[in-house]
Structures are given as structure tokens and as C-alpha cells.
Amino acid sequence: MDTTTRRRAPDTTRTEILDKALEVAAELGVLGFTLDAVAARTTVSKGAVLHHFPTKKALLAGMIDHLGEMHSDAVLAEAARDPEPYGRNARAYLRSVVNEPVTPQDVSIGRVVLAACAIDPSLSQRWNSWVTLPIRSARMTPCCCG
């Protein structure tokens, strides 16, 4: 009998859960966004989902961080393509936000995040810290005036 167990990398499992959470938010919206719905989409057990995200709030916080990382990565990638240093991050921020087409799925995900932020101010602060990260890292004001 083989007593070894095959374990997945925790980061891989966490990323899968977050990606599936975004799918659930995109397809089922605020009312359909539950831990059960997310667990049903993953290749791991509900227990594994709860191990990584013990509450719905923890999963929402994880989603906000996941979305924030994607947003920051997009801004930084756009900034890296800009040869002019003055105002680079501001232009990159605008390009990454304005030039991306908005899909109905994006709107649904946004509604889930907005509802979570409206219910829990700590989630709103978390989202704000991600959205303003490119601005803060460039040491400029949000209006790009200073």
C-alpha cells in the first residue's frame, strides 16, 4: 500500500479558488456568490476552500487582493512600455483602466466587490489600497499635479 499522499502547492490551490470565485461572481452575481457555489466549481473539496478562506469575508478579501494584483501588474506592464519617464505611471494607470473593454462579467464582479465593500469598510479600505498603489508607488498625487 502506497502511504504517500499527493499534495498540491498551496499557492496553486489558492489561485484556483480565487479564479473560480471570480467566475461565480461573474456568472451568478451578488446573490449567487456563496462559498458552496465557489467550492462546487473547484477541483478541491469545500474543506480545502475553507482551509484557505475560512469565511466569505476572507474569500472576498482574497478576491480583492487577487484583482488588485492583476490591476497593479497591468499598470506596471503598461508603464514599462512607456519611454517617457515624466507622467509614465499616470498614463499607464489611465491606459490600463480606460482602454480595457468592460464586459458584463466585469460589471457583475464589480457589483460583488462593491456590495462587499459597502457592507464591510475594511474591504473598502483594502480595495482602495490596491487601486491607489500605482499612484502611491510613483510618489504622485491622484490628480497627477505634484
Side-chain angles (χ1 to χ4, degrees):
M1 180 165 128
D2 184 11
T3 59
T4 61
T5 57
R6 185 172 158 196
R7 302 187 97 186
R8 289 174 56 150
D11 288 345
T12 302
T13 301
R14 186 176 173 81
T15 299
E16 178 192 347
I17 294 167
L18 291 170
D19 288 341
K20 297 303 179 180
L22 289 172
E23 281 182 21
V24 169
E27 293 174 22
L28 303 179
V30 173
L31 297 178
F33 186 80
T34 64
L35 287 171
D36 287 331
V38 173
R41 300 242 180 155
T42 67
T43 61
V44 299
S45 67
K46 183 176 179 184
V49 172
L50 291 171
H51 172 75
H52 289 277
F53 304 100
T55 64
K56 187 174 181 180
K57 178 182 173 181
L59 179 57
L60 288 163
M63 279 177 53
I64 287 171
D65 289 344
H66 193 57
L67 289 166
E69 288 170 10
M70 291 189 300
H71 170 72
S72 291
D73 290 348
V75 173
L76 293 173
E78 189 65 42
R81 290 189 286 273
D82 190 334
E84 174 60 41
Y86 182 77
R88 176 183 295 149
N89 284 17
R91 287 189 301 277
Y93 183 88
L94 290 171
R95 285 187 198 116
S96 68
V97 172
V98 175
N99 291 344
E100 283 296 313
V102 176
T103 66
Q105 292 81 12
D106 294 331
V107 171
S108 186
I109 291 168
R111 286 180 178 148
V112 169
V113 171
L114 181 63
C117 290
I119 292 167
D120 189 324
S122 70
L123 294 175
S124 180
Q125 292 165 352
R126 187 180 213 115
W127 177 251
N128 186 52
S129 71
W130 277 110
V131 171
T132 60
L133 180 65
I135 295 167
R136 285 181 288 123
S137 67
R139 301 193 192 291
M140 64 177 115
T141 63
C143 68
C144 305
C145 302

